[in-house]
Each structure stands twice: as structure tokens, then as C-alpha cells.
């Protein structure tokens, strides 16, 4: 596996909707820090729904920071 840190994702919005499996993500693979996600929303934040892959796996709408294997 690799080694390294994920970056920073910053989002500023009046309103934000993540629907149908939409994601905001900071990640790295292997060894390292996942990174930082900062979301500043002045009014409405909506996170709802999933996306269905052809193999029936569900991908949720989300805000994530993760280290992948």
C-alpha cells in the first residue's frame, strides 16, 4: 500500500443539497491521515438518498473523511 495524507476540502454555500448518492469526500489510501472536510452552509443543508450500483450496492449521500485499505 501507499502512504500519504489526504488534502483539505472546503465548501462554502448559501444552501447545499447532496442527493442521490452525491458525496463530498477527503480520503487517502493505505497509511496516512484521511484529510479534512469543512462545510459552511449559511441556510439549508440537505443530505438525502442513495445511488444504486449495477451490483445492487448502495452508495449513500454523505460528507466523508476516510482512510481506505
Amino acid at each position: 500500500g501507499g502512504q500519504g495524507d489526504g488534502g483539505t476540502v472546503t465548501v462554502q454555500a448559501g444552501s447545499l443539497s447532496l442527493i442521490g448518492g452525491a458525496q463530498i469526500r477527503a480520503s487517502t489510501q493505505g497509511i496516512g491521515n484521511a484529510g479534512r472536510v469543512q462545510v459552511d452552509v449559511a441556510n439549508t443543508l440537505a443530505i438525502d438518498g442513495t445511488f444504486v450500483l449495477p451490483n445492487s450496492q448502495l452508495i449513500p449521500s454523505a460528507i466523508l473523511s476516510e482512510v481506505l485499505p
Side-chain angles (χ1 to χ4, degrees), residues 10-31:
T10 302
V11 177
Q12 295 179 322
S15 295
L16 178 64
S17 295
L18 300 175
I19 58 173
Q23 297 183 345
I24 298 173
R25 176 187 298 237
S27 63
T28 191
Q29 189 168 354
I31 299 171

Side-chain angles (χ1 to χ4, degrees), residues 28-45:
T28 191
Q29 189 168 354
I31 299 171
N33 294 316
R36 179 179 173 186
V37 178
Q38 179 175 333
V39 178
D40 295 315
V41 179
N43 295 307
T44 303
L45 171 63

Side-chain angles (χ1 to χ4, degrees), residues 39-69:
V39 178
D40 295 315
V41 179
N43 295 307
T44 303
L45 171 63
I47 303 173
D48 188 42
T50 58
F51 179 78
V52 182
L53 294 174
N55 66 359
S56 299
Q57 180 182 358
L58 298 177
I59 305 298
S61 299
I63 299 172
L64 304 165
S65 178
E66 63 184 348
V67 176
L68 301 169

